[in-house]
Amino acid sequence: MLNTADSYTALRTTAGVYHRAGEVMRLTGLHRGRLLTWMLAKQSEFAEPGTVLESLVLDDEGAVDGVALVVFDDESIIVVSDCATPLLHVATSAIDALQLVDTHAQQEEDFGYAIAVEGPVSWKVGDGLTDEDMSEILLNEWRRGSLDGKECILIRIGTTAEYGYVVLTSSAAGPSSMKELTARAREVDGGEIDPLVLRRAQAEVNHPVLPVQALGLSIFEAGIQWMATPNRDDEYRGRNAIRLLPPTRRIVAASTAGEDFPLEGQEVTDEGTPIGVVKVSTPRAGQDTGFGLLLLDIPYCVPGLTLTAGGQTVRTLARPAVDPVSWTQQIGV
């Protein structure tokens, strides 16, 4: 595994590989779509086979429970989830509670191991897994393929604003598939990354850093309502606790010059006046600046302010706080 500095460099300049931890389940039956829409915070009933979506998962009290990556096929749905409450248990309970006849949720084995590959040349790592040119696979689409002689699913999706893919292989083949994709990443000067650096790479581009970013906050305060459909009028888990009210505090990105970012929970002040707390502190990962997220009272949650957090000077800034290479470098070039 690469150290934190090299891990960050791989994500931003080449390709970083990591195991996308969590559970994988398959939904089948007549009402699998209804089951899915009840479990997710984002609407999914109009999703087409061959596509994927990512959604927040809420608990019964409307708090963020985790996130789910959903793969839509003609006859079934695969859900890759990372939640505080096991989503398979939620699904089986909901089948009974909602009386969803001929609907089933079970642990996935054939594609039960998820491996993420992210970075501006991550497409080179996935090249050849399918018969299709990598440039033809659009964001939020998936294809069947083969890795090391075994069937896999290649999904185009990412969390760092660089190109990104998730490869689903069988639970049994997962570790060997991880080694194979890591070897491919090393060929382009990348490798297996330390997952801790994802905090920084994701926070820089406004991807949710879960669970810490959402702890104790509404989805609006946490700034992650874009991963949900909060104005839905159908029934879904956690809906009764959603309040469509303007927040009085918000998340804003900030940096420190030449030092690590203050620890989470440190008070943030403006000329001695308390205005918020450090919500997310990310690894410096060999960079000149520290980086993190502050939870600040309105109207302080704007870029361009110089504040104090835990005795350190922090400066708020707009996101994306980096210039992703993938925005100007085409796949295949």
Side-chain angles (χ1 to χ4, degrees), residues 27-71:
L27 308 180
T28 57
L30 289 175
H31 302 290
R32 62 186 182 276
R34 172 71 183 98
L35 172 62
L36 183 71
T37 59
W38 184 86
M39 291 193 297
L40 302 184
K42 181 182 286 188
Q43 282 183 320
S44 60
E45 59 265 40
F46 303 113
E48 296 288 337
T51 67
V52 302
L53 67 77
E54 271 195 306
S55 170
L56 293 177
V57 176
L58 306 180
D59 65 16
D60 294 333
E61 286 70 46
V64 175
D65 198 43
V67 67
L69 170 64
V70 185
V71 182

Side-chain angles (χ1 to χ4, degrees), residues 8-22:
Y8 180 84
T9 299
L11 286 175
R12 285 287 171 230
T13 64
T14 58
V17 178
Y18 60 96
H19 176 212
R20 181 161 172 157

Side-chain angles (χ1 to χ4, degrees), residues 208-293:
V209 181
L210 299 177
V212 61
Q213 183 175 336
L215 289 176
L217 303 182
S218 72
I219 59 175
F220 303 101
E221 291 172 323
I224 54 177
Q225 65 272 14
W226 58 273
M227 288 194 73
T229 312
N231 61 344
R232 290 168 58 180
D233 56 10
D234 60 326
E235 292 297 324
Y236 62 94
R237 186 177 179 221
R239 179 196 173 199
N240 291 336
I242 295 294
R243 299 290 180 264
L244 300 179
L245 300 173
T248 60
R249 52 185 183 169
R250 291 183 185 273
I251 292 288
V252 63
S255 67
T256 53
E259 57 184 346
D260 293 341
F261 203 75
L263 297 177
E264 291 165 7
Q266 294 286 317
E267 185 178 65
V268 181
T269 61
D270 177 33
E271 296 183 346
T273 300
I275 59 170
V277 297
V278 176
K279 189 61 177 172
V280 179
S281 182
T282 76
R284 191 169 166 190
Q287 304 306 297
D288 293 335
T289 60
F291 190 88
L293 302 178

